[in-house]
Every structure is written in structure tokens, then in C-alpha cells.
Amino acid sequence: MNDTHVHPAAEAAPDDAAQAGDATELDVLRKERDEAADRLLRLQAEFDNYRKRQDRERRELGDHFASELLGEFLPVLDDVERALAAATASSEPVLASHRQGLELIHKQFLELLKRRQVVPIEAVGADFDPNVHQAVGQEVSATHREGEVIEDLRRGYRLGDRLLRPSMVKVATRG
């Protein structure tokens, strides 16, 4: 009988190699899983950023169109105000009867602007600010400060922080 004796270390070697191979494969799988999770997190963050950017761009585009449309209404409001001033100054019965209609239209315009958060720029008495005023004239004045707005020739308006139209003003100077 041939007794072959196998050394215990020799018997364990194939199992150790299999376990080492399993461990390496497990490490590779864990690494792939971690990379996939990282890619998923990055994609989620990119999608979140994309959604936020789209929302912001949509809001900005809406604000831009609202600004343009409201800006186009302002000259009509100016004309209504001029017509109202002329009707108020006149003693002719025809113009006096039209004044009520003009007052109603004027009130509706102002309510529309208010609902849309459009506010007039208060210019008279303020210091000239080139960010909101457009100087179209100067007048020597001893009763006003240098650079003080003394007359608002065309009212300016803001929509929130956005300037719809600057005020056209006359500014005091020292002679």
C-alpha cells in the first residue's frame, strides 16, 4: 500500500488561492459598486442643477417679457395723464365730461401696474441718480441743492429691482 501523505499546507494552498481570488473579485465588485453609486450621485446633482437652471431661466424669461410688455404700456399711461391734465384744465363741457372716463382709465392703468408690482420712481426732491434718472435739462436755482431733481418731465418706473424706464428730469445747478 502506498500511503501518500500530503502535507497540510499543500492541501490548503488551493483553498487559499480560491479565497484570495474571491477576495480580489469582491474588492473589484465593491469598487464598481462605489463608482456606480458615485456616478448616480453626480447624475442626481447634475439633474438638480439643470432643473434649477431651467426654473431660473424660465423665470428670467417671464420677467423679461413682462418688463417689455409693461414698458410698452407706459407711453399710453403718459398720454392718458396728459389728456387728463388737459381735460382738468379746460372749462369746455365736452372735455369735462370726458374727464371722468379718463380718470377711470387712469385708475385702471395704475391698478394694473400695482398688481404687477410696478412702482413709480419718486424723483422730485431726490438727488440725481444716473441709475434711475435721465437728465434732460438743468436749471440754476438758489433754493435747491446742487444736483437735486427739481422737475420730473416723464415719470420713471421699476418692476421690483429692474428699471423699466428712467425718469426724465430737470436738475438744479448753482449759477
Side-chain angles (χ1 to χ4, degrees):
M1 173 164 162
N2 189 357
D3 247 341
T4 12
H5 186 341
V6 179
H7 191 279
E11 285 180 4
D15 285 342
D16 287 347
Q19 286 178 352
D22 288 347
T24 304
E25 186 177 329
L26 188 58
D27 289 341
V28 168
L29 289 174
R30 284 183 180 142
K31 183 179 178 184
E32 287 176 0
R33 179 202 62 201
D34 292 346
E35 288 173 354
D38 186 52
R39 280 193 307 270
L40 178 62
L41 286 175
R42 288 178 190 272
L43 281 172
Q44 286 175 331
E46 285 177 22
F47 182 73
D48 246 6
N49 290 338
Y50 169 77
R51 187 179 44 77
K52 289 175 185 175
R53 187 174 53 249
Q54 288 297 101
D55 288 346
R56 185 181 64 245
E57 288 174 0
R58 192 176 309 115
R59 239 184 352 268
E60 288 173 357
L61 188 60
D63 289 348
H64 174 74
F65 286 131
S67 294
E68 278 192 19
L69 182 61
L70 290 168
E72 290 178 20
F73 276 115
L74 296 178
V76 177
L77 178 61
D78 294 339
D79 290 342
V80 168
E81 288 175 345
R82 279 191 287 275
L84 188 56
T88 302
S90 175
S91 61
E92 290 184 39
V94 174
L95 289 179
S97 66
H98 284 47
R99 187 181 77 237
Q100 288 179 331
L102 288 172
E103 287 172 346
L104 179 62
I105 293 168
H106 185 251
K107 181 181 174 187
Q108 288 175 333
F109 260 118
L110 294 178
E111 287 173 0
L112 172 108
L113 294 176
K114 185 177 180 180
R115 278 194 313 270
R116 298 294 176 188
Q117 288 85 36
V118 176
V119 294
I121 297 169
E122 299 301 327
V124 176
D127 289 333
F128 176 76
D129 179 356
N131 296 311
V132 294
H133 302 132
Q134 179 182 356
V136 294
Q138 293 183 336
E139 188 174 297
V140 176
S141 175
T143 60
H144 296 94
R145 299 181 315 276
E146 175 83 20
E148 180 181 348
V149 174
I150 57 175
E151 189 177 350
D152 193 356
L153 303 170
R154 185 189 74 187
R155 185 176 295 169
Y157 292 89
R158 289 182 178 272
L159 174 60
D161 292 336
R162 184 182 296 219
L163 181 67
L164 286 178
R165 178 176 85 178
S167 295
M168 289 176 63
V169 298
K170 191 184 292 184
V171 181
T173 63
R174 297 284 178 173

